[in-house]
Amino acid sequence: MNFLIQNLGQGLQQLEQLAGDPLWGYFQAVAGPDQQISPRELQQCLTSSGIAGTYQPFSLNTCYIMIAMLDRDRSGQMGFNEFKELWAALNQWKTTFMNFDRDRSGTIEGHELHQAVTSFGYNLSPNALNVLLGRYGENGRVKFDDFVALCVRLRALTAQFQQRDTARNGHATFQYDDFIQVTMSL
Amino acid sequence: MNFLIQNLGQGLQQLEQLAGDPLWGYFQAVAGPDQQISPRELQQCLTSSGIAGTYQPFSLNTCYIMIAMLDRDRSGQMGFNEFKELWAALNQWKTTFMNFDRDRSGTIEGHELHQAVTSFGYNLSPNALNVLLGRYGENGRVKFDDFVALCVRLRALTAQFQQRDTARNGHATFQYDDFIQVTMSL
Ligand SMILES: [Ca+2]
Ligand SMILES: [Ca+2]
Ligand SMILES: [Ca+2]
C-alpha cells in the first residue's frame, strides 16, 4: 500500500517534471508510442530542434554512434533519460566548437582540435591527435558533425578503457571477444 | 651501377605488370597526378568500377575506413598496392555477401551474418554478433555497404589486437594512448 502510494507520488512528480521540460515535447513528437528513439528518429529530432544551428545537420552515422554511446541495454534505441543526457553533452560540445570556430566557417583546425580535446580533460599524444585529425578531418579541418562523432567515440571508448584499467595506471587488458564488442559497438 | 640496373629492371618489370593489370586504368584515372586515392576519389572509383553491382554504392564513411584499414603510413590516402589489396578483399566480401543474399534483396540477416563472419575465420560470441548486428544492421538486416564497413573494421581491429596478444592466449594489454589510436583510426 505504502509502496503503491510512493510509486504514484513518484509518477506524478515525474509527470510534472516532464510537463515543465522543454525537451519532452521534441522527444515525444519524434519517439512515437514506443517512447524510444531510433537513429533515423534522432536525426529528424536534432534537425528540427535546431541544435546544429547554422552548421550542417547530423549524418545518420553520427546519430547511430550517439545512441550507441548511451545505449546501456544495447537495444539500439534511446529513451528520454538518455536523450536528456545526450542533449547536455551536445550543448557542451557545441559551445566548445563555436568557441574555436570563431569565423563560423563550420570547421576547426588541428591546433584548435588539440585545445578542444584538452579542455574536455583528455591527455593525448601528438600521434593520437593526428589520428583523430586524419579520421575526422578533411584537409586538416573538422566539421561540426564529425567533431561530435569524434567526441562521442572518444568519450565512450575512454569510459570503457577506464572500466578495465582497474589499477588506474593507464593500462588495460582486454579479452578478444570483449575488445570486439567495445570497439565495434560505435 | 649494379644497383641502378637492378632498379631500372625492377621499374620496367613493374611497368609491364601495371600495363597488363586491368585495375591500373581505374586507379590511374581516379588517383590523378599524385597517384594517391583520397576517400572521395575511392568512392568515385568504386562506383564507376561497378564492384557494388546492383547494391547501393559505398558511403563516404565506408570509403574512409577502407583507406584507414590499409593506410600503414597514416597519410589518409591510398596507393596502387593498397588499392589492389582492397580490391581482393572487396571481392571476397562481395562473393560471401551474395552467397547469403540469395534473393538479391541487398541485405543479409542475423544468422547469415553469423555464418559469413565464421566463414572468414572469426570466432565470436552471440553477444558480439548482436553488437555487430545492432551497429551495422537496420531492423536486423545488414546492407552490403554496411557489411563491408563491418568486415573492414573487424579485420583491422583483429589484426591490431593480435599484434598486442604476444602470448597468443586471447588477451591483449593496451596503453591508453595506443588504445585510442587503434580504435579511433577507423
Ligand atoms: Ca573556422
Ligand atoms: Ca589523389
Ligand atoms: Ca536478402
Side-chain angles (χ1 to χ4, degrees):
Chain A
M1 179 63 181
N2 260 342
F3 180 72
L4 276 177
I5 291 172
Q6 209 188 335
N7 265 336
L8 188 65
Q10 281 180 351
L12 284 174
Q13 211 185 345
Q14 260 183 345
L15 270 180
E16 266 170 47
Q17 282 172 351
L18 288 176
D21 195 322
L23 288 180
W24 178 240
Y26 289 134
F27 179 81
Q28 223 182 3
V30 180
D34 66 354
Q35 296 296 290
Q36 294 284 317
I37 284 188
S38 69
R40 236 171 250 282
E41 289 171 338
L42 179 61
Q43 190 183 35
Q44 288 163 22
C45 182
L46 292 176
T47 303
S48 73
S49 77
I51 194 173
T54 54
Y55 299 126
Q56 276 191 339
F58 293 106
S59 68
L60 199 56
N61 187 55
T62 301
C63 292
Y64 269 106
I65 60 181
M66 285 196 249
I67 291 182
M69 170 181 73
L70 299 165
D71 186 16
R72 292 181 194 101
D73 63 353
R74 287 186 174 152
S75 65
Q77 305 257 321
M78 175 177 268
F80 185 56
N81 285 328
E82 286 78 15
F83 180 69
K84 282 208 293 192
E85 208 179 316
L86 172 64
W87 191 265
L90 266 180
N91 274 306
Q92 191 203 2
W93 295 330
K94 189 186 173 184
T95 304
T96 305
F97 190 89
M98 287 176 73
N99 274 341
F100 289 113
D101 178 24
R102 291 186 210 288
D103 60 357
R104 296 285 181 280
S105 67
T107 58
I108 58 173
E109 284 73 52
H111 66 285
E112 297 167 337
L113 178 65
H114 182 180
Q115 292 174 286
V117 162
T118 305
S119 80
F120 296 143
Y122 300 106
N123 184 14
L124 296 175
S125 70
N127 274 348
L129 283 160
N130 276 338
V131 165
L132 299 187
L133 199 60
R135 176 66 182 87
Y136 294 95
E138 214 167 335
N139 301 319
R141 294 160 174 273
V142 182
K143 287 184 289 191
F144 181 56
D145 173 53
D146 294 319
F147 177 73
V148 168
L150 181 161
C151 291
V152 166
R153 294 183 71 208
L154 187 56
R155 184 176 128 145
L157 289 166
T158 299
Q160 295 283 346
F161 184 90
Q162 286 173 343
Q163 273 180 33
R164 287 155 185 84
D165 177 14
T166 43
R168 292 274 176 276
N169 65 0
H171 289 77
T173 300
F174 290 77
Q175 191 260 326
Y176 173 67
D177 199 83
D178 178 47
F179 176 74
I180 293 300
Q181 290 189 48
V182 165
T183 57
M184 297 283 288
S185 66
L186 76 167
Chain B
M1 180 64 178
N2 259 343
F3 181 71
L4 275 177
I5 290 172
Q6 208 187 336
N7 263 337
L8 189 66
Q10 282 180 352
L12 283 175
Q13 209 184 346
Q14 258 183 347
L15 270 180
E16 264 170 46
Q17 282 170 352
L18 288 176
D21 195 322
L23 287 180
W24 178 240
Y26 288 133
F27 178 82
Q28 221 183 3
V30 180
D34 66 353
Q35 295 298 290
Q36 294 285 316
I37 285 188
S38 69
R40 237 171 248 285
E41 289 171 338
L42 180 62
Q43 191 183 34
Q44 289 163 21
C45 179
L46 292 177
T47 303
S48 74
S49 76
I51 193 174
T54 54
Y55 299 127
Q56 277 191 339
F58 293 107
S59 68
L60 198 56
N61 187 57
T62 301
C63 292
Y64 269 106
I65 60 182
M66 285 196 251
I67 290 184
M69 172 181 72
L70 300 166
D71 186 15
R72 294 182 192 99
D73 63 353
R74 287 187 172 150
S75 65
Q77 306 257 321
M78 175 177 266
F80 185 57
N81 284 330
E82 286 79 16
F83 180 69
K84 281 208 294 191
E85 209 177 315
L86 173 65
W87 191 265
L90 266 180
N91 274 307
Q92 191 203 4
W93 295 330
K94 188 185 175 186
T95 304
T96 305
F97 190 89
M98 287 175 73
N99 274 342
F100 289 113
D101 177 23
R102 291 187 209 286
D103 60 356
R104 296 284 182 280
S105 65
T107 58
I108 59 172
E109 284 73 53
H111 66 285
E112 296 167 339
L113 178 65
H114 181 180
Q115 293 173 283
V117 163
T118 304
S119 80
F120 295 144
Y122 299 106
N123 182 14
L124 295 175
S125 70
N127 274 346
L129 283 159
N130 276 337
V131 165
L132 299 187
L133 200 59
R135 175 65 183 89
Y136 294 95
E138 215 166 335
N139 301 318
R141 294 160 174 272
V142 182
K143 288 183 289 192
F144 181 57
D145 174 53
D146 293 319
F147 177 73
V148 168
L150 182 162
C151 292
V152 166
R153 293 183 71 208
L154 188 56
R155 182 176 130 144
L157 288 165
T158 300
Q160 294 284 345
F161 183 91
Q162 286 173 342
Q163 273 181 31
R164 287 156 186 83
D165 177 13
T166 43
R168 292 275 177 273
N169 64 359
H171 289 77
T173 301
F174 290 78
Q175 191 261 326
Y176 173 67
D177 198 83
D178 178 47
F179 177 73
I180 294 300
Q181 289 189 47
V182 165
T183 57
M184 298 282 289
S185 66
L186 75 167

